[in-house]
Amino acid sequence: MKSFEYARPTTEAEAVAFLGAEGIQTAILAGGTDLTSLLRAELLTPARVVDLKQIPSLRTITPLDDGIQIGALCTLDELAQSPQLGHYRSLFDVIDGIRAIQVQGCGTLGGDLCHLPNCWYFRKGYGILGMEQGVSLPESGDNRYHAILGNSGPAKFVNASRFAPALIAWGAKVRIIGLGAASGAGLSNGPAVVDAEWVPLEYFYSTPQTDRQGHTILRPGQMISHVWLPESPLMSSATYEVLQMEGLDWPLAAAGVCLQLEGGLVRDARIVMGHVAPVPWLIDDAARVLIGQPLNEETAATAAAFAVAQSTPLSMNAYKVQIACTAVKRALLKAAGQLT
Ligand SMILES: Cc1cc2nc3c(=O)[nH]c(=O)nc-3n(C[C@H](O)[C@H](O)[C@H](O)COP(=O)(O)OP(=O)(O)OC[C@H]3O[C@@H](n4cnc5c(N)ncnc54)[C@H](O)[C@@H]3O)c2cc1C
């Protein structure tokens, strides 16, 4: 591991000042469950690591008139134990699926949302696109866990976040703070003290076209401070993840859904697939076919088939198409209370 300067801010303003210092490459430390591996493997070699753990405002869960605001530093345990989050079932499905008490105790919401890809070529030092001398290693090599959608460009990895599908289905926004976050959006309970803006989570991720681009829209000097979830009392939700192992594992495919049923018919639906593309994959077409229909095995299967209809699997991962399809179908049935 290369040596680095260690900063431990106690306010968001201090964190932003440490992150934004000119000419210094920085990295953000939250729970550290992934960052420490990245530093050890020298996949990241920052001159300064900014540890967020002493910033109390990042650890709050605040009910609002129009929803709920969650600090990025909340751990999975803190989320699981929060009575205010009781309505957002799909988040609990995610936490249940992360079967390691160490990660539940240390891993944070912000760390999950910003988790760098697990692509083994990236993790072996070939960059976010997994390129060697201009050749895409995921394209020509072992791509069994790679993308089946959104993979026509050089990025073949899958987005690693487990919360993003559920949160995007809920219509969540993230508060980005730091250099260049323009509008100065304050928190519900305080004035703006740092540059900040709220961005719908569905626009937070990006598909890099070159090795110099990231997998999110965060620029150097920026971080997530909070997540906002809308109050939607009529919506029910679920996440369904397909995991290979009983213990700690990454999903092969997942789906987060939100449903509004009225008189037995679907009035509104949002479906987002995870671990199938470089970004969480929102599928409006699949949701549209459900509107006005009863939610049952047949309609859920039709929507699921729509969800994966545009898949373009790589040489070794066609099996993921059926798995993603099943994840969507089961998430829909689960949200409707038809899957036990
Ligand atoms: C050995 C091991 C195996 C694991 N295996 C799995 C697994 O199989 N499945 C699974 O789901 N999880 C796994 N995890 C947990 C995984 O690391 C989680 O995703 C965890 O939620 C990350 O949270 P963290 O707070 O520890 O993130 P950190 O490691 O602190 O950060 C992760 C990334 O996000 C960035 N970051 C963190 N917070 C912010 C923020 N607020 N704003 C901007 N960027 C930020 C960091 O700079 C870093 O790049 C594993 C962890 C370990 C140690």
Side-chain angles (χ1 to χ4, degrees):
M1 187 187 294
K2 292 231 164 87
S3 59
F4 50 78
E5 193 181 295
Y6 173 72
R8 203 162 61 159
T10 55
T11 64
E12 290 178 31
E14 261 178 37
V16 162
F18 279 128
L19 285 172
E22 211 171 311
I24 297 191
Q25 211 190 339
T26 56
I28 296 166
L29 176 75
T33 61
D34 194 42
L35 188 81
T36 43
S37 320
L38 295 164
L39 294 174
R40 223 179 293 128
E42 298 189 2
L43 292 171
L44 296 182
T45 51
R48 174 185 293 164
V49 170
V50 180
D51 183 350
L52 305 181
K53 281 197 286 296
Q54 304 301 317
I55 306 177
S57 66
L58 299 183
R59 232 187 181 124
T60 51
I61 300 181
T62 314
L64 311 171
D65 288 343
D66 63 349
I68 194 155
Q69 191 175 269
I70 310 170
L73 204 61
C74 287
T75 62
L76 309 190
D77 270 350
E78 286 163 349
L79 300 178
Q81 282 156 23
S82 166
Q84 288 112 330
L85 290 174
H87 178 57
Y88 302 97
R89 292 310 311 165
S90 51
L91 303 188
F92 291 85
D93 292 339
V94 174
I95 297 167
D96 281 349
I98 300 172
R99 299 171 191 140
I101 51 173
Q102 297 90 337
V103 174
Q104 293 192 349
C106 299
T108 66
L109 179 58
D112 172 81
L113 291 176
C114 298
H115 202 285
L116 281 159
N118 290 316
C119 164
W120 41 39
Y121 299 109
F122 166 66
R123 297 276 163 172
K124 287 202 173 105
Y126 292 101
I128 197 161
L129 301 178
M131 292 284 189
E132 188 180 38
Q133 295 172 350
V135 173
S136 164
L137 297 173
E139 186 150 26
S140 54
D142 190 338
N143 50 37
R144 75 187 103 145
Y145 299 126
H146 288 75
I148 54 168
L149 283 156
N151 56 5
S152 58
K156 312 290 181 196
F157 64 85
V158 295
N159 185 278
S161 172
R162 291 179 74 164
F163 281 112
L167 290 172
I168 293 172
W170 275 108
K173 294 182 180 176
V174 284
R175 182 170 175 261
I176 296 177
I177 63 173
L179 272 184
S183 65
L187 287 173
S188 61
N189 49 358
V193 289
V194 290
D195 287 342
E197 62 186 304
W198 286 97
V199 174
L201 186 58
E202 65 193 83
Y203 302 128
F204 176 70
Y205 294 101
S206 60
T207 303
Q209 299 300 319
T210 73
D211 251 342
R212 292 173 167 271
Q213 295 171 345
H215 73 304
T216 72
I217 60 169
L218 284 183
R219 294 196 294 271
Q222 296 186 336
M223 57 174 268
I224 293 181
S225 73
H226 292 82
V227 173
W228 170 83
L229 274 168
E231 157 121 339
S232 305
L234 300 177
M235 286 279 190
S236 56
S237 68
T239 300
Y240 194 95
E241 298 182 325
V242 181
L243 294 145
Q244 236 170 339
M245 294 193 289
E246 300 240 320
L248 189 58
D249 195 8
W250 296 100
L252 296 170
V257 306
C258 277
L259 273 186
Q260 185 182 344
L261 291 164
E262 203 175 87
L265 301 179
V266 177
R267 190 186 164 90
D268 196 6
R270 298 251 299 173
I271 305 172
V272 184
M273 288 192 289
H275 309 276
V276 293
V279 296
W281 203 254
L282 177 65
I283 27 184
D284 287 333
D285 286 355
R288 259 196 298 275
V289 300
L290 288 171
I291 308 295
Q293 303 292 321
L295 200 288
N296 54 35
E297 283 268 343
E298 196 186 327
T299 55
T302 306
F306 259 87
V308 296
Q310 307 297 322
S311 302
T312 50
L314 303 170
S315 58
M316 294 174 72
N317 67 4
Y319 77 98
K320 281 185 65 165
V321 177
Q322 183 55 42
I323 285 180
C325 185
T326 301
V328 172
K329 181 181 165 192
R330 292 192 182 170
L332 286 166
L333 292 171
K334 196 173 177 187
Q338 295 178 34
L339 191 78
T340 48

